[in-house]
Amino acid sequence: MAFTIENGVLIKYIAEEGVTDVVIPDGIEVIDSIAFRESEITSVFIPDSVKEIKNCAFEDCRQLVSVRLSEQLEKLGIFSFKNCFKLSKIVIPESVKIININAFEGCESLTDITLPSDIEYCPACAFEDTPWYEKYMQENDFLIIGHLLVSWAPKSETVIIPEGITEIDEEHEFPDTIRKIVFPVGVKVIPARLFMECEKLEEVVLPDGLIEIGPDAFNRCYNLHSINFPEGLKTIEEYAFRNCRSLKEIILPDSVTDVGNYAFSDCVSVKKLKLPNNNIGWYDSSFNMLPIEHLHIPEKLTDGEPISMAFSSNQLTEITVDENNPSLTSYEGVLYSKDMTVLYKAPDKIERITIPDTVTKIMKFAFACCKKLREVVIPESVKEIGPRAFVLCKGLESIDLPQGLTSIGTAAFAECTSLKRIVIPSNLDEIGVNAFTCCENLCEVSMPELIPNLQYEFTKHELTDYYSEKTESTEQLAKDVFSGTPWLKGQGYTDDEEEE
């Protein structure tokens, strides 16, 4: 028998006629990808010097009956023994830390597997389509290797994961038949998509010491009505609980520092929300479409800017702030900076407001989706209206912009479908694209001859970054700012979108 070997790596097995029993030379540390692929060998002895068998190394060795693995082996690669049809027994030594995906897939005679007592990584698909795996899961609820929960096939609607488990394979998903799941202390991470679309799941008991809930972990668990969030939890990733339509309350511990995009969006039955008492990191629409009526801002949540984005399209009637909060305050149910110079967020059901004359800036999304808003009085002190500040205020018929206003952000009044007239202040320095787009009843606009700067928008994670570019064309400015309005057509300008 002959081999191609370079620097301790067995690169290629060179078959010899009549030789089917292979002994790999001592000193080899790695068996390279496809080294024995599709060979006719029947047995192989792998010396203890070998530490890694790479991807597809013995794939489609369909006559292979016997394998002796190295006692120092640490890693089995993807498809490493795939489709070794005659292999019936394998002893995986204690030294192995990683068994990669589909390592023994399709070994249709494999009925006897000895596993190590612990492992770092081993997805269930490593043994896919083997009789050993199918029989084992018929007889057991769980396949566990040391601390790792590899696979599960619970026979009951209530599942209690055994003590000692600290990690759950992220490649496997729970069946959609369970109604209750209890995690043991020691589990640190709930992997992404673990319970996604488990529509019968009603109750989850999370363990003390949990740090992270992964993306989509419970997305579309429509019947989930009860879950605890233990102290120590830090991160709830994007879409983790989206569309959990039976969830009644969200009580987040003070340890939570990050809530991902749409993490609790469309949880349409939530009546109670407790935010962590810290400057939580959150994203656009983290709590979108929650039917809560009252939002309380705790003492140490001092950054008001994300709040306006995270709570769009709710049913808020009031926002209150802890009296000891050093940066934020509430006045008539509206969220402001402590010095009352920045308006951060108005409750969704607000109908009219006279903004205090201390305010100089209306933040982005401040009145977004306030569909009942009819009347707004903006004082002369206001210099800036942020992006999407009044987007989708569909009941707003008119608004007087102060002459001292210098900036209107991107899509600031987009889709204010009842808005009929607007006077653009002559001191305005900057106006964003689509500032009044799709205001389908906007027929009267008074606009200065030329506004020096026009912002163009770049999308990034549904938020926006901007740069400014001078425009020499009043016509182009009108098209960019007032697209989709009857006023634009009345000026004789053709909407760019119609031209396309």
Side-chain angles (χ1 to χ4, degrees):
M1 67 189 72
F3 308 95
T4 301
I5 299 171
E6 292 182 7
N7 299 320
V9 179
L10 194 162
I11 296 173
K12 184 68 177 176
Y13 165 67
I14 301 170
E16 294 182 14
E17 187 175 352
V19 177
T20 59
D21 297 320
V22 174
V23 177
I24 294 174
D26 194 22
I28 298 297
E29 295 186 358
V30 176
I31 300 175
D32 209 0
S33 299
I34 68 172
F36 288 84
R37 189 178 187 182
E38 297 181 351
S39 70
E40 296 296 317
I41 63 173
T42 59
S43 72
V44 60
F45 181 94
I46 301 175
D48 291 345
S49 58
V50 173
K51 295 182 178 180
E52 180 179 1
I53 299 174
K54 289 197 169 184
N55 300 347
C56 308
F58 293 91
E59 183 182 12
D60 289 324
C61 291
R62 301 190 178 194
Q63 303 304 315
L64 186 61
V65 174
S66 173
V67 177
R68 188 273 189 188
L69 294 175
S70 162
E71 291 295 328
Q72 301 301 317
L73 185 65
E74 297 176 358
K75 182 178 180 181
L76 283 164
I78 299 169
F79 302 139
S80 47
F81 288 91
K82 181 182 178 181
N83 291 338
C84 293
F85 292 151
K86 293 187 177 181
L87 186 64
S88 61
K89 179 180 179 179
I90 192 79
V91 177
I92 301 174
E94 285 292 317
S95 57
V96 171
K97 300 302 179 187
I98 295 174
I99 303 175
N100 243 307
I101 60 174
N102 305 102
F104 294 93
E105 180 189 354
C107 294
E108 58 186 30
S109 299
L110 190 55
T111 57
D112 188 353
I113 300 178
T114 301
L115 295 168
S117 59
D118 204 355
I119 204 161
E120 292 178 5
Y121 176 71
C122 179
C125 63
F127 309 105
E128 190 173 350
D129 296 328
T130 66
W132 174 86
Y133 178 70
E134 292 175 3
K135 183 174 185 292
Y136 188 94
M137 295 314 298
Q138 286 174 1
E139 297 174 350
N140 299 274
D141 284 349
F142 306 103
L143 171 57
I144 299 169
I145 306 178
H147 73 288
L148 178 65
L149 178 56
V150 175
S151 184
W152 40 86
K155 314 301 185 290
S156 170
E157 291 182 340
T158 297
V159 177
I160 301 176
I161 296 178
E163 296 292 331
I165 298 297
T166 60
E167 189 175 352
I168 300 171
D169 172 42
E170 62 183 20
E171 304 293 334
H172 202 60
E173 297 176 3
F174 268 84
D176 61 3
T177 55
I178 62 173
R179 295 185 182 276
K180 180 178 179 180
I181 181 81
V182 180
F183 290 90
V185 173
V187 173
K188 303 296 184 185
V189 177
I190 306 297
R193 299 174 297 280
L194 189 66
F195 297 94
M196 187 172 179
E197 296 182 342
C198 287
E199 295 186 11
K200 293 183 180 180
L201 184 62
E202 297 176 353
E203 183 178 356
V204 175
V205 180
L206 297 176
D208 292 340
L210 186 70
I211 295 173
E212 179 182 336
I213 300 173
D216 290 296
F218 297 91
N219 192 354
R220 295 199 288 277
C221 291
Y222 296 129
N223 286 298
L224 179 62
H225 61 76
S226 176
I227 186 168
N228 64 305
F229 296 99
E231 187 63 44
L233 180 65
K234 295 181 181 298
T235 301
I236 301 172
E237 295 281 7
E238 61 183 3
Y239 301 101
F241 293 91
R242 189 176 191 182
N243 280 306
C244 290
R245 297 183 177 180
S246 299
L247 198 61
K248 300 293 192 298
E249 64 179 27
I250 301 169
I251 309 297
L252 298 180
D254 292 344
S255 57
V256 172
T257 57
D258 188 51
V259 179
N261 196 26
Y262 293 97
F264 292 95
S265 178
D266 299 294
C267 294
V268 295
S269 296
V270 170
K271 299 297 183 185
K272 182 178 181 181
L273 171 66
K274 177 188 174 295
L275 294 174
N277 190 17
N278 63 58
N279 270 326
I280 183 173
W282 47 22
Y283 301 90
D284 183 18
S285 301
S286 295
F287 300 94
N288 188 38
M289 296 299 291
L290 297 190
I292 57 172
E293 296 183 355
H294 175 242
L295 176 64
H296 181 70
I297 309 300
E299 175 186 353
K300 296 179 181 179
L301 203 172
T302 57
D303 187 0
E305 183 173 348
I307 295 172
S308 60
M309 297 181 293
F311 291 92
S312 61
S313 300
N314 298 320
Q315 297 182 27
L316 285 175
T317 59
E318 182 184 31
I319 302 171
T320 59
V321 178
D322 188 287
E323 62 181 10
N324 294 317
N325 191 304
S327 302
L328 303 175
T329 190
S330 175
Y331 175 68
E332 295 184 347
V334 178
L335 182 65
Y336 296 90
S337 60
K338 195 76 169 183
D339 61 5
M340 297 289 289
T341 60
V342 179
L343 191 159
Y344 283 112
K345 174 68 177 173
D348 303 274
K349 291 191 173 182
I350 193 169
E351 296 183 7
R352 55 183 56 84
I353 181 172
T354 298
I355 297 174
D357 60 12
T358 55
V359 173
T360 60
K361 182 176 182 179
I362 299 173
M363 284 298 297
K364 56 186 176 183
F365 294 95
F367 292 89
C369 301
C370 291
K371 296 179 181 180
K372 293 188 175 182
L373 185 64
R374 299 287 186 270
E375 182 182 339
V376 180
V377 178
I378 302 178
E380 287 297 321
S381 58
V382 171
K383 305 298 182 184
E384 181 179 348
I385 297 175
R388 294 172 173 80
F390 292 88
V391 66
L392 288 166
C393 290
K394 295 191 174 184
L396 190 61
E397 295 184 2
S398 66
I399 187 166
D400 293 327
L401 300 178
Q403 284 301 307
L405 188 67
T406 59
S407 177
I408 298 175
T410 295
F413 295 89
E415 296 188 62
C416 290
T417 53
S418 297
L419 193 62
K420 297 177 181 178
R421 55 173 292 275
I422 195 75
V423 176
I424 305 296
S426 58
N427 290 325
L428 198 70
D429 294 326
E430 195 171 63
I431 188 166
V433 293
N434 297 323
F436 294 90
T437 189
C438 298
C439 293
E440 58 189 33
N441 284 300
L442 185 59
C443 298
E444 183 181 342
V445 175
S446 175
M447 188 173 69
E449 185 69 20
L450 186 67
I451 298 174
N453 295 308
L454 177 64
Q455 292 180 346
Y456 287 87
E457 174 184 21
F458 287 83
T459 300
K460 179 181 179 183
H461 300 304
E462 300 189 12
L463 302 179
T464 49
D465 295 333
Y466 308 102
Y467 75 89
S468 294
E469 181 176 294
K470 288 188 176 181
T471 175
E472 300 299 332
S473 168
T474 302
E475 178 180 348
Q476 189 58 48
L477 186 150
K479 289 180 179 181
D480 287 339
V481 174
F482 295 96
S483 63
T485 67
W487 173 83
L488 185 66
K489 294 180 181 179
Q491 302 306 301
Y493 298 146
T494 303
D495 201 322
D496 286 344
E497 293 183 4
E498 292 182 0
E499 290 179 356
E500 293 175 3

